[in-house]
Amino acid sequence: MRLTKPTYLLFIICVFLGTTFAQAQSDKQKQLEARRQQLKKEMEQLNSLLFANKKKEKNVITLVEDLNYKVSVRKNLIKVTNDQANLLTRDINANQKEISELRDQLEELKKQYAAMIVKSYKSKSQLSRVMFLMSSSNFKQAYKRLQYIKQYTDYQKQQGEEIKAKTLKLQELNTQLLKQKEEKQKLVEENRIAKKELEAELKEHEVLMASIRSNMSKYNAELKQKQKESDRIDKEIDRLIKEAIAASNKKAGKSTSSSSFALTPEAKSLAASFQANKGKLPWPVERGIVKMRFGKQPSIIDKTVAVNSKGVMIATEKGAKVRAVFEGEVSQIIVIPNANPVVILRHGNYMTVYKNLSKIYVNKGDKVSTKQDIGEVFTNKTTGETLLYFRVYKDSKLENPAYWINKL
């Protein structure tokens, strides 16, 4: 059968759309798999950093914080795995349909090919090709008969090749289908285990929350005291940043009341370089997970109360080194009674703050390079927690660290 031009164009469009759709499905599956592996890695780190040391006695609020985070990651992992399984189901159904259609086409091709072979055999027994040509009434008829024989032979060969190609494709699809079914079964089993673990975590979470609700005044008092201590350090950080801005402006002969740094050409260049690396800066610790993000968020024990986080809180491992996220200068080292040291680095008119350190490796005025160790994170001996509080400022204004640090 010969296709007309409109039919041929429609056929080409259908093939193109089918190929595009299949590629989109494949790309989506790759994205989901990458996200699933990322979440699995995060879950491993979470278990290692927050739940490995069971001998340490964390307070109830810390336990709820950690469990909240774990439940959130677990739910995301279940959702992504479920999305993958659903996408595989669609792929499996599409392949099963294509296999069924291919089998029908192959059956029809084989029937046509068999009929053609029989016809060819009968033709040979009744009249040889030479006699068929010689019996032509003129040269033109002989030429046409020769062309017919050639086309018939080519068509037989084409049919044979088509049967071979469709058979191979059918075998490939069957292999692919078997692999997809195995992958789906693996994902379904992973989700079954994850849902069981989530159920246990939610029960534990409810027990902890019941304990908190039974003595809400006590835990609210604990949170207020913790916030008060944090505010005391934050006020000192804000004061020293304002002092640094004022000193910069005074040196440049500008108003000391300005909230922005007066920059030298060198500082401008450094600030521009820092800005150019937005979203690509390294983590301030080599290994860690974000326990608290930037901005306002509801309190874990009282959803009506908002907690304003000025940076991010990163849980890391004991003895973790603190790294400069970019080259710059040590602007301040803050040591406050009854609090752990803080290091402030300056990068032109940008500042990065590293809070809750146990050791300091640098001095005020030192030049530092990207990823240079500047100290060590403090580990609470009672709870076993190792937490770094990290911030980014542009002049005196707070920035969301997630916009600056790669994959934060």
Side-chain angles (χ1 to χ4, degrees), residues 100-250:
S100 179
E101 290 172 353
L102 265 176
R103 280 176 179 157
D104 291 343
Q105 291 171 18
L106 197 54
E107 190 64 31
E108 184 61 31
L109 275 172
K110 284 179 178 178
K111 283 180 182 178
Q112 291 176 8
Y113 191 67
M116 195 185 303
I117 295 298
V118 170
K119 186 179 178 182
S120 179
Y121 178 77
K122 285 180 178 180
S123 295
K124 282 181 181 178
S125 63
Q126 291 169 7
L127 186 65
S128 70
R129 291 184 180 183
V130 174
M131 289 302 295
F132 180 60
L133 289 171
M134 293 298 290
S135 63
S136 303
S137 58
N138 54 52
F139 178 77
K140 187 176 180 181
Q141 189 181 57
Y143 178 75
K144 283 185 177 180
R145 287 184 178 185
L146 182 64
Q147 289 295 103
Y148 169 76
I149 292 169
K150 185 177 181 301
Q151 286 174 1
Y152 193 75
T153 303
D154 289 345
Y155 185 62
Q156 276 185 314
K157 186 178 179 182
Q158 182 186 338
Q159 289 287 87
E161 290 295 328
E162 195 171 347
I163 288 170
K164 183 181 176 183
K166 285 190 183 293
T167 302
L168 284 172
K169 188 173 182 182
L170 191 58
Q171 289 171 349
E172 287 172 6
L173 282 171
N174 278 322
T175 303
Q176 187 181 355
L177 186 63
L178 185 64
K179 185 182 176 183
Q180 286 172 334
K181 285 181 176 179
E182 287 174 356
E183 286 175 0
K184 183 187 172 182
Q185 188 55 42
K186 183 182 174 184
L187 290 172
V188 168
E189 181 59 22
E190 276 189 24
N191 248 7
R192 187 188 67 77
I193 295 168
K195 284 175 181 177
K196 195 174 179 181
E197 290 172 339
L198 177 63
E199 189 179 337
E201 287 158 2
L202 288 171
K203 283 180 181 177
E204 185 183 352
H205 183 270
E206 182 53 38
V207 169
L208 291 170
M209 287 305 296
S211 169
I212 289 173
R213 283 191 290 268
S214 67
N215 200 349
M216 187 66 84
S217 58
K218 173 192 170 184
Y219 293 113
N220 267 329
E222 277 185 25
L223 282 178
K224 283 179 182 177
Q225 181 59 31
K226 194 175 177 181
Q227 189 62 51
K228 187 178 178 181
E229 290 172 5
S230 181
D231 289 344
R232 182 168 66 97
I233 301 168
D234 290 347
K235 283 180 182 177
E236 185 63 12
I237 291 171
D238 290 341
R239 183 184 71 80
L240 289 171
I241 287 175
K242 285 176 182 176
E243 275 189 8
I245 292 172
S248 168
N249 287 324
K250 185 178 180 180

Side-chain angles (χ1 to χ4, degrees), residues 18-28 30:
T19 306
T20 304
F21 178 74
Q23 184 60 46
Q25 290 280 90
S26 175
D27 291 345
K28 179 67 174 174
K30 286 176 183 176

Side-chain angles (χ1 to χ4, degrees), residues 40-145:
K40 284 178 74 174
K41 184 179 178 182
E42 191 173 353
M43 184 63 76
E44 287 170 8
Q45 284 195 329
L46 192 151
N47 285 326
S48 170
L49 298 174
L50 301 183
F51 293 91
N53 200 342
K54 294 183 179 179
K55 293 180 181 179
K56 299 291 183 180
E57 292 186 10
K58 298 180 182 179
N59 64 36
V60 177
I61 293 174
T62 301
L63 281 170
V64 171
E65 283 177 353
D66 293 351
L67 206 51
N68 264 353
Y69 188 83
K70 193 174 187 181
V71 164
S72 172
V73 175
R74 181 88 66 195
K75 283 180 177 177
N76 282 335
L77 181 57
I78 288 171
K79 183 183 180 301
V80 169
T81 306
N82 194 52
D83 288 345
Q84 269 191 285
N86 289 337
L87 192 59
L88 270 175
T89 299
R90 289 196 288 273
D91 287 344
I92 287 167
N93 290 338
N95 275 348
Q96 284 176 331
K97 184 181 177 183
E98 189 172 355
I99 285 169
S100 179
E101 290 172 353
L102 265 176
R103 280 176 179 157
D104 291 343
Q105 291 171 18
L106 197 54
E107 190 64 31
E108 184 61 31
L109 275 172
K110 284 179 178 178
K111 283 180 182 178
Q112 291 176 8
Y113 191 67
M116 195 185 303
I117 295 298
V118 170
K119 186 179 178 182
S120 179
Y121 178 77
K122 285 180 178 180
S123 295
K124 282 181 181 178
S125 63
Q126 291 169 7
L127 186 65
S128 70
R129 291 184 180 183
V130 174
M131 289 302 295
F132 180 60
L133 289 171
M134 293 298 290
S135 63
S136 303
S137 58
N138 54 52
F139 178 77
K140 187 176 180 181
Q141 189 181 57
Y143 178 75
K144 283 185 177 180
R145 287 184 178 185

